[in-house]
Amino acid sequence: MKEFELIQHIFKASSMANIEGRRDILLGIGDDCAQVNVPADQTLVLSMDTLVEGRHFPYDADPSAIGYRAVASCVSDLAAMGARPSFFTLGLTLPHSDPQWLSAFAEGMAELAEPIGLLLVGGDTTRGPLTITLQVHGYVEAALIKTRSQAKLGDDIYVTGVLGDAAAAVPIVTDEIIVANDLYDYFYERYWRPTPRLIAGMALKRVAHAMMDISDGLAQDIQHILLASNVGAVLQGNQIPISDFLRDWQPDNALTIALTGGDDYELCFTAPKSTREEISLITQTLHLPCCRVGEVVETGFSIEGYAGDLEGWQHF
Ligand code: ADP
Ligand code: MG
């Protein structure tokens, strides 16, 4: 078997590439193209992410962790649209073909992709520095798509989960600093296994106005909503959700890290005040941690109770 044939074989044999029982996927890996029937009442949303070793994840990391996180970070964009994951393609650039590495990488991807119904339908493989490109696709009713431009004056602003852990984890997972075992285990998980908020996105799409996922830090990412919606925001510094681990470990920097750190892949959304009860019902039913952190105002951007520097954030 030739080198790249072996690679295709590994992916084709994976559970995440099995099209059995899928009415929407007519042809998967192995032909010139994949073939998809988008369900009649849905539109297709798609998003691409590229991850470069040494830049977007550390060198010589566990391949299954790389695979899991690649899918998680990409699928988070589907969650932010309120979409249901459907299929993805994979562009792989590899320094050399190492079947063991590839099998573990595929396993890590499948661990997340399979249970959420995200099917691998094709890709391309080339030689070069380790680079991973995923294009993920999802289905969502056209009328319910959540864009960044739908925030309205007076909306509440919410975020899911806790913020800052993934950014705080970077020096830990790269062994730049050594911490106690329990801290290491917690932050390792928080960096390598983010939880894309898919169920939350699908449940909130009927209530939320604007929605996006937080990949570069709340203070920066919320600017996208403000710009696209032509509004401003006031956040409450003391309402920003922070884990006990982060607060205990970095009491002085926790809020700054939570506001500016990336890679958490939580959702930020706005919703009219009249939906507060409905939102708390949804989040309680889903056991979804979700905090109201501020309000949409006419113009400007401020964080009450935060003494840090906000310059450079306001509309970039
Ligand atoms: P072609 O030369 O027609 O582009 P390839 O030889 O590149 O085909 O790929 C053969 C099959 O293997 C195609 O169905 C392609 O989608 C699949 N494939 C190649 N690389 C990957 C990959 N990294 N992940 C998933 N599928 C892949
Ligand atoms: Mg090809």
Side-chain angles (χ1 to χ4, degrees), residues 8 11 29-32 90 92 120 122-125:
Q8 288 150 25
F11 288 118
I29 291 180
D31 218 304
D32 293 315
L90 171 66
L92 256 190
L120 180 61
D124 196 25
T125 311

mmCIF file of all heavy atoms in Angstrom, residues 8 11 29-32 90 92 120 122-125, ligand 1:
data_model
loop_
_atom_site.group_PDB
_atom_site.id
_atom_site.type_symbol
_atom_site.label_atom_id
_atom_site.label_comp_id
_atom_site.label_asym_id
_atom_site.label_seq_id
_atom_site.Cartn_x
_atom_site.Cartn_y
_atom_site.Cartn_z
ATOM 1 N N GLN A 8 -5.567 7.224 3.784
ATOM 2 C CA GLN A 8 -6.997 7.194 3.451
ATOM 3 C C GLN A 8 -7.665 5.988 4.089
ATOM 4 O O GLN A 8 -8.814 6.062 4.527
ATOM 5 C CB GLN A 8 -7.189 7.147 1.936
ATOM 6 C CG GLN A 8 -6.854 8.460 1.254
ATOM 7 C CD GLN A 8 -6.354 8.244 -0.160
ATOM 8 O OE1 GLN A 8 -6.674 7.232 -0.775
ATOM 9 N NE2 GLN A 8 -5.582 9.179 -0.651
ATOM 10 N N PHE A 11 -8.552 6.571 7.751
ATOM 11 C CA PHE A 11 -9.733 7.410 7.947
ATOM 12 C C PHE A 11 -11.006 6.720 7.482
ATOM 13 O O PHE A 11 -12.039 6.806 8.126
ATOM 14 C CB PHE A 11 -9.558 8.763 7.251
ATOM 15 C CG PHE A 11 -8.573 9.650 7.952
ATOM 16 C CD1 PHE A 11 -7.416 10.069 7.328
ATOM 17 C CD2 PHE A 11 -8.811 10.032 9.259
ATOM 18 C CE1 PHE A 11 -6.502 10.867 7.996
ATOM 19 C CE2 PHE A 11 -7.906 10.837 9.936
ATOM 20 C CZ PHE A 11 -6.747 11.252 9.302
ATOM 21 N N ILE A 29 -15.955 8.956 2.029
ATOM 22 C CA ILE A 29 -14.549 8.850 1.630
ATOM 23 C C ILE A 29 -14.365 7.765 0.562
ATOM 24 O O ILE A 29 -14.978 6.706 0.638
ATOM 25 C CB ILE A 29 -13.669 8.499 2.849
ATOM 26 C CG1 ILE A 29 -13.619 9.691 3.810
ATOM 27 C CG2 ILE A 29 -12.260 8.098 2.432
ATOM 28 C CD1 ILE A 29 -12.761 9.428 5.035
ATOM 29 N N GLY A 30 -13.507 8.036 -0.409
ATOM 30 C CA GLY A 30 -13.099 6.988 -1.336
ATOM 31 C C GLY A 30 -13.340 7.303 -2.794
ATOM 32 O O GLY A 30 -12.761 6.671 -3.678
ATOM 33 N N ASP A 31 -14.195 8.257 -3.085
ATOM 34 C CA ASP A 31 -14.425 8.606 -4.490
ATOM 35 C C ASP A 31 -13.814 9.979 -4.768
ATOM 36 O O ASP A 31 -13.106 10.535 -3.939
ATOM 37 C CB ASP A 31 -15.935 8.582 -4.782
ATOM 38 C CG ASP A 31 -16.216 8.009 -6.170
ATOM 39 O OD1 ASP A 31 -15.652 8.556 -7.133
ATOM 40 O OD2 ASP A 31 -16.962 7.021 -6.262
ATOM 41 N N ASP A 32 -14.087 10.496 -5.952
ATOM 42 C CA ASP A 32 -13.522 11.800 -6.291
ATOM 43 C C ASP A 32 -14.147 12.915 -5.460
ATOM 44 O O ASP A 32 -13.505 13.908 -5.133
ATOM 45 C CB ASP A 32 -13.719 12.089 -7.783
ATOM 46 C CG ASP A 32 -12.886 11.132 -8.615
ATOM 47 O OD1 ASP A 32 -11.710 10.937 -8.269
ATOM 48 O OD2 ASP A 32 -13.408 10.571 -9.591
ATOM 49 N N LEU A 90 -11.252 17.043 5.838
ATOM 50 C CA LEU A 90 -10.013 17.177 6.597
ATOM 51 C C LEU A 90 -8.831 17.377 5.653
ATOM 52 O O LEU A 90 -8.519 16.497 4.848
ATOM 53 C CB LEU A 90 -9.808 15.899 7.431
ATOM 54 C CG LEU A 90 -8.480 15.720 8.147
ATOM 55 C CD1 LEU A 90 -8.311 16.775 9.234
ATOM 56 C CD2 LEU A 90 -8.389 14.323 8.741
ATOM 57 N N LEU A 92 -4.947 17.563 5.593
ATOM 58 C CA LEU A 92 -3.850 17.194 6.476
ATOM 59 C C LEU A 92 -2.515 17.418 5.791
ATOM 60 O O LEU A 92 -2.290 16.917 4.689
ATOM 61 C CB LEU A 92 -3.948 15.701 6.811
ATOM 62 C CG LEU A 92 -4.456 15.248 8.177
ATOM 63 C CD1 LEU A 92 -4.223 13.757 8.323
ATOM 64 C CD2 LEU A 92 -3.815 16.022 9.309
ATOM 65 N N LEU A 120 -16.982 12.236 8.768
ATOM 66 C CA LEU A 120 -15.841 12.580 7.903
ATOM 67 C C LEU A 120 -16.122 12.056 6.498
ATOM 68 O O LEU A 120 -16.250 10.845 6.296
ATOM 69 C CB LEU A 120 -14.559 11.958 8.455
ATOM 70 C CG LEU A 120 -13.275 12.234 7.650
ATOM 71 C CD1 LEU A 120 -12.980 13.728 7.587
ATOM 72 C CD2 LEU A 120 -12.095 11.484 8.241
ATOM 73 N N GLY A 122 -14.372 13.203 3.539
ATOM 74 C CA GLY A 122 -13.302 13.339 2.558
ATOM 75 C C GLY A 122 -12.217 14.264 3.053
ATOM 76 O O GLY A 122 -12.264 14.746 4.184
ATOM 77 N N GLY A 123 -11.224 14.485 2.206
ATOM 78 C CA GLY A 123 -10.138 15.354 2.600
ATOM 79 C C GLY A 123 -9.009 15.306 1.600
ATOM 80 O O GLY A 123 -9.174 14.813 0.483
ATOM 81 N N ASP A 124 -7.881 15.810 2.026
ATOM 82 C CA ASP A 124 -6.712 15.813 1.162
ATOM 83 C C ASP A 124 -5.481 15.708 2.050
ATOM 84 O O ASP A 124 -5.479 16.192 3.181
ATOM 85 C CB ASP A 124 -6.676 17.106 0.337
ATOM 86 C CG ASP A 124 -5.722 16.991 -0.836
ATOM 87 O OD1 ASP A 124 -5.459 15.854 -1.296
ATOM 88 O OD2 ASP A 124 -5.237 18.034 -1.294
ATOM 89 N N THR A 125 -4.455 15.058 1.533
ATOM 90 C CA THR A 125 -3.271 14.812 2.338
ATOM 91 C C THR A 125 -2.030 15.216 1.566
ATOM 92 O O THR A 125 -1.878 14.841 0.400
ATOM 93 C CB THR A 125 -3.191 13.309 2.711
ATOM 94 O OG1 THR A 125 -4.454 12.883 3.220
ATOM 95 C CG2 THR A 125 -2.136 13.080 3.761
HETATM 96 P P1 ADP B 1 -8.088 12.718 -5.649
HETATM 97 O O1 ADP B 1 -6.734 12.468 -6.223
HETATM 98 O O2 ADP B 1 -9.230 12.287 -6.505
HETATM 99 O O3 ADP B 1 -8.249 14.102 -5.095
HETATM 100 P P2 ADP B 1 -7.137 11.529 -3.238
HETATM 101 O O4 ADP B 1 -6.196 10.457 -3.648
HETATM 102 O O5 ADP B 1 -6.584 12.840 -2.788
HETATM 103 O O6 ADP B 1 -8.209 11.735 -4.393
HETATM 104 O O7 ADP B 1 -8.082 10.962 -2.110
HETATM 105 C C1 ADP B 1 -8.773 9.769 -2.268
HETATM 106 C C2 ADP B 1 -9.924 9.706 -1.329
HETATM 107 O O8 ADP B 1 -9.442 9.780 0.017
HETATM 108 C C3 ADP B 1 -10.896 10.875 -1.517
HETATM 109 O O9 ADP B 1 -12.207 10.397 -1.338
HETATM 110 C C4 ADP B 1 -10.499 11.831 -0.400
HETATM 111 O O10 ADP B 1 -11.618 12.596 0.017
HETATM 112 C C5 ADP B 1 -10.002 10.883 0.686
HETATM 113 N N1 ADP B 1 -8.973 11.518 1.547
HETATM 114 C C6 ADP B 1 -7.722 11.882 1.231
HETATM 115 N N2 ADP B 1 -7.086 12.447 2.267
HETATM 116 C C7 ADP B 1 -7.962 12.453 3.282
HETATM 117 C C8 ADP B 1 -7.935 12.923 4.630
HETATM 118 N N3 ADP B 1 -6.865 13.543 5.156
HETATM 119 N N4 ADP B 1 -9.051 12.766 5.377
HETATM 120 C C9 ADP B 1 -10.143 12.186 4.864
HETATM 121 N N5 ADP B 1 -10.242 11.721 3.626
HETATM 122 C C10 ADP B 1 -9.172 11.857 2.837
#
